[in-house]
Amino acid sequence: MTKITGFEIHDVRFPTSLTGDGTDAMNTECDYSSAYITLLTDSDLVGHGMTFTIGRGNDIVCIAINEVANRLVGKDTEELFANMGKTWDFMMADPQLRWIGPEKGVIHIASGAVNNAVWDMYARSRQKPLWKLVVDFTPEELVNATAFRYISDAITKEEALAMLKEKEAGKKEREATVRDVGYPAYVTSAGWLGYTDEKVARLTQEAVAAGFNHFKMKVGADLSNDLRRGKIIRSIIDDPQYLPANMPPRDPNSAGLQGKNAGPTGAVLMVDANQVWDVPQAIEYVKGLQDIKPWFIEEPTAPDDILGHAAIRKALAPYGIGVATGEHAHNRMVFKQLLQAEAIDVVQIDSCRLAGVSEVLSVLLWLPNSAVPYVIHLSLIDYIAVSGTMERNVLEFVDHLHEHFVTPCSINKNGRYNVPNNPGEGYSIEMHKTSIAEFEWPNGSYWVGAKGGK
């Protein structure tokens, strides 16, 4: 019998604002930060979890993580693992903590960090990467691992079980396929708003050479500037001369690219405004981006404005431009309403915004019924066990800060994610202790040096 005995929490901040990494029209100073927890037990078993912020406020999230994690101290790990949906319900059921949500804001993303740590511990206990742990579940086990409260009008447990059983037969074949070819990815790292034109061009060429064919750029501060940057990117991704040797252009009319405004090489461009506009502004601004042929506009307005997104989608449909959101959708109910209102074309799930893996599973389970493509553990779970499809889906790849993690993700020569295979990596979330010692706020060696004027 293994019990949770305590935890360690770290406020880790990286000075990415110094290089412009992560900059967009709304978030002009981004220090990528992790509110990071390690759950401890009376054995060698541990579980790592985190949520994400962009600097100030990370300490507030760490305080909330402390309050949520206290609820798990003394619990038997196997009892928690036996029904992860029930465990999630227990984590979210503290009545006084729930009052300061409920199920949104700081308390919700803090709960996500803790739930992710429990899942990491579960996978480590079974010596499997997280995705493999979950795809090896029976349909019944997967349903029991999912957060279902408040979504039964979108999908019931019985409906989810029937769907998962239908997909059960092809799981081994799909696992073999994705291990062989990798999971589709898109690159954002070339399109940060704070980059010079020269840097945008260089990074775009490097991304094309690495095999990527989906690219995203930030927009929203100035239309003429966005058009210029977009045309730079288009001039590179649409030109066959930049393709890797022995890689022919992709067919823009193929099943995976239909409706994406793919250019002559099969390359796709997406744009992201990070919530900067009101609804009428969004519509008029994005109409002005027609020349660079975006597949979608991401986060065009306030993330909670379901009907606003629906209005934007309706207005942009004649121009062949879709709408995407989800990065700041704070719980499964927001996704439910976005889909019920036919407000978006592309669903993007942020595992650091929702309250951990159990809530992410609840969103994955009803997406196949909605016929909406969305945006590597969780994507592998979706493809192998849930939806059975991946070619219209693309998962964001940002190549910053990977060196700080023990088992970082990687990309193959075709610009697709490699499948995590290390049996001891869990959720691939473990950070190097040396990185924590250097970048922990405010007394890590980097920040002490920065305060000394170095």
Side-chain angles (χ1 to χ4, degrees):
M1 180 182 295
T2 301
K3 289 190 175 183
I4 294 176
T5 56
F7 47 85
E8 297 175 353
I9 299 171
H10 301 280
D11 177 349
V12 185
R13 307 186 194 185
F14 300 99
T16 52
S17 60
L18 298 179
T19 54
D21 299 340
T23 49
D24 56 61
M26 181 64 78
N27 306 295
T28 56
E29 297 178 0
C30 302
D31 286 327
Y32 277 14
S33 302
S34 168
Y36 185 85
I37 180 172
T38 299
L39 290 175
L40 307 173
T41 68
D42 54 9
S43 72
D44 293 335
L45 182 64
V46 298
H48 305 286
M50 62 169 282
T51 191
F52 174 79
T53 79
I54 58 169
R56 286 187 299 277
N58 206 51
D59 48 351
I60 299 172
V61 181
C62 287
I63 292 170
I65 288 174
N66 182 86
E67 297 303 312
V68 175
N70 267 323
R71 195 161 172 82
L72 297 178
V73 173
K75 296 296 180 183
D76 179 81
T77 58
E78 289 302 320
E79 289 182 7
L80 296 175
F81 302 156
N83 189 317
M84 288 292 282
K86 184 177 179 181
T87 295
W88 190 89
D89 288 339
F90 171 76
M91 282 182 52
M92 307 302 292
D94 184 303
Q96 295 184 4
L97 292 180
R98 188 179 187 279
W99 183 261
I100 59 173
E103 299 194 32
K104 55 181 172 284
V106 169
I107 197 66
H108 203 61
I109 63 175
S111 298
V114 180
N115 187 250
N116 288 335
V118 177
W119 275 101
D120 180 70
M121 179 182 287
Y122 188 4
R124 288 168 180 271
S125 75
R126 301 303 191 260
Q127 282 293 290
K128 294 180 180 182
L130 175 72
W131 71 267
K132 181 62 173 168
L133 171 78
V134 178
V135 301
D136 285 348
F137 281 175
T138 65
E140 290 82 2
E141 288 172 330
L142 204 157
V143 167
N144 283 339
T146 302
F148 268 98
R149 193 175 195 179
Y150 302 139
I151 63 168
S152 60
D153 55 328
I155 187 169
T156 65
K157 288 186 177 182
E158 292 74 22
E159 290 169 337
L161 185 59
M163 181 189 67
L164 292 170
K165 286 183 175 179
E166 286 181 7
K167 293 292 192 296
E168 186 77 358
K171 279 168 53 173
K172 289 184 179 180
E173 290 77 8
R174 290 192 292 274
E175 180 176 331
T177 295
V178 74
R179 284 183 181 276
D180 181 45
V181 303
Y183 194 91
Y186 72 86
V187 64
T188 300
S189 300
W192 298 122
L193 205 59
Y195 286 176
T196 64
D197 289 356
E198 292 74 18
K199 188 170 184 178
V200 168
R202 174 176 59 81
L203 292 176
T204 302
Q205 290 180 28
E206 291 174 1
V208 173
F212 289 99
N213 78 315
H214 285 66
F215 307 82
K216 191 169 79 178
M217 61 174 278
K218 301 293 185 174
V219 299
D222 179 82
L223 181 59
S224 60
N225 182 54
D226 292 341
L227 281 170
R228 187 189 72 255
R229 293 166 54 248
K231 288 176 180 178
I232 291 171
I233 293 174
R234 270 290 180 197
S235 71
I236 296 167
I237 67 178
D238 289 346
D239 191 334
Q241 72 168 310
Y242 294 107
L243 292 174
N246 304 316
M247 178 178 283
R250 296 171 171 90
D251 179 5
N253 297 312
S254 63
L257 295 176
Q258 285 179 2
K260 290 186 175 182
N261 278 333
T265 65
V268 176
L269 179 63
M270 303 95 83
V271 294
D272 183 358
N274 293 91
Q275 315 161 27
V276 75
W277 300 310
D278 283 1
V279 171
Q281 286 179 299
I283 293 168
E284 292 308 309
Y285 199 107
V286 179
K287 286 180 182 178
L289 296 174
Q290 292 175 69
D291 287 352
I292 60 173
K293 299 191 342 184
W295 170 22
F296 61 67
I297 175 64
E298 180 179 341
E299 288 199 312
T301 192
D304 299 342
D305 189 356
I306 284 83
L307 297 182
H309 279 85
I312 295 168
R313 181 177 185 242
K314 182 178 180 180
L316 294 180
Y319 301 88
I321 301 172
V323 173
T325 200
E327 186 179 27
H328 280 74
H330 46 244
N331 56 41
R332 62 209 177 280
M333 291 78 78
V334 174
F335 282 107
K336 179 181 70 172
Q337 293 173 58
L338 286 165
L339 295 172
Q340 289 173 335
E342 299 182 349
I344 53 176
D345 300 277
V346 178
V347 178
Q348 297 167 311
I349 301 172
D350 188 334
S351 61
C352 288
R353 178 71 56 178
L354 297 184
V357 175
S358 291
E359 188 172 26
V360 171
L361 291 176
S362 73
V363 180
L364 294 181
L365 286 176
W366 76 66
L367 286 181
N369 297 332
S370 304
V372 179
Y374 78 96
V375 72
I376 136 162
H377 289 274
L378 302 173
S379 293
L380 291 171
I381 292 167
D382 172 68
Y383 168 58
I384 297 169
V386 182
S387 72
T389 182
M390 65 172 166
E391 287 310 320
R392 288 196 58 78
N393 300 343
V394 281
L395 177 61
E396 186 170 33
F397 177 77
V398 179
D399 60 357
H400 310 299
L401 306 177
H402 292 188
E403 68 273 16
H404 298 292
F405 291 86
V406 175
T407 51
C409 61
S410 63
I411 296 290
N412 67 24
K413 62 183 177 66
N414 296 315
R416 298 166 75 104
Y417 275 91
N418 291 311
V419 173
N421 282 315
N422 186 329
E425 70 182 278
Y427 202 177
S428 306
I429 212 165
E430 182 178 3
M431 197 176 291
H432 287 296
K433 289 181 173 60
T434 52
S435 294
I436 295 174
E438 184 175 2
F439 291 101
E440 186 157 19
W441 177 268
N443 296 317
S445 59
Y446 173 85
W447 295 110
V448 169
K451 284 184 288 186
K454 300 177 183 178

